[in-house]
């Protein structure tokens, strides 16, 4: 069995062949689309993603899970947002940007984008003047 789960698209009788897109590709596209939205601080991956990043392996699809079905895909994303950002507005913009970007790049229909806000990133407090001089 293949290491990747593939979604076949573009099956036409007069085509040149099949187009298959790996789930990882959709995860990467969705994560980049989410990070483009103002107010999103970072995506929160699993413990395995965090360990892999500590060893130098970049996890581009971290915090994104894609479930493929016959009709399309369901994207679930876990993220941190900046303190002061409107949670409903930011989440809605993330949903719209992911749906539009994935559809534009892969022609895969997105059935749903589930957004999980798991935390807030607070602005760093200003350091006292004495610590800045050191």
């Amino acid at each position: 069995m293949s290491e990747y789960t593939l979604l076949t698209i573009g099956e036409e009788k007069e085509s040149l062949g099949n187009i298959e897109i790996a789930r990882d590709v959709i995860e990467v596209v969705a994560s980049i689309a989410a990070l483009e939205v103002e107010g999103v601080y970072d995506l929160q991956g699993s413990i395995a993603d965090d360990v892999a990043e500590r060893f130098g392996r970049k996890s581009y699809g971290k915090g994104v899970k894609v479930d493929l079905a016959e009709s399309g895909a369901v994207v679930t994303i876990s993220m941190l947002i900046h303190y002061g950002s409107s949670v409903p507005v930011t989440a809605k913009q993330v949903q719209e940007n992911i749906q539009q970007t994935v559809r534009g790049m892969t022609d895969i229909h997105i059935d749903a984008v589930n957004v999980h806000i798991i935390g807030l990133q607070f602005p760093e407090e200003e350091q006292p003047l004495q610590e800045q001089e050191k």
Side-chain angles (χ1 to χ4, degrees):
M1 184 171 178
S2 175
E3 176 182 341
Y4 301 103
T5 303
L6 302 174
L7 180 65
T8 303
I9 61 172
E11 291 184 32
E12 297 177 11
K13 291 183 181 180
E14 296 180 20
S15 70
L16 299 174
N18 292 333
I19 299 171
E20 297 179 339
I21 299 175
R23 178 186 312 198
D24 294 350
V25 172
I26 301 167
E27 290 175 355
V28 170
V29 170
S31 68
I32 292 170
L35 290 170
E36 289 175 347
V37 175
E38 187 176 340
V40 175
Y41 174 73
D42 198 10
L43 305 181
Q44 183 67 40
S46 65
I47 294 173
D49 291 333
D50 293 339
V51 170
E53 281 188 345
R54 290 185 190 267
F55 287 108
R57 182 176 160 249
K58 183 70 176 160
S59 178
Y60 292 103
K62 89 173 180 179
V64 180
K65 180 182 174 213
V66 176
D67 294 316
L68 301 175
E70 290 292 325
S71 62
V74 175
V75 177
T76 304
I77 187 162
S78 301
M79 62 185 196
L80 298 142
I81 64 170
H82 289 285
Y83 176 77
S85 297
S86 172
V87 173
V89 170
T90 302
K92 180 72 173 169
Q93 289 174 345
V94 166
Q95 289 174 321
E96 291 170 352
N97 201 33
I98 288 174
Q99 191 168 35
Q100 180 182 7
T101 304
V102 170
R103 181 69 176 193
M105 292 184 74
T106 65
D107 200 34
I108 294 174
H109 175 72
I110 301 295
D111 291 331
V113 178
N114 302 315
V115 177
H116 298 278
I117 308 293
I118 59 167
L120 298 173
Q121 178 64 32
F122 294 96
E124 294 182 22
E125 294 183 27
E126 293 183 37
Q127 296 178 350
L129 192 55
Q130 294 125 359
E131 290 182 17
Q132 289 179 359
E133 293 174 357
K134 293 181 184 180

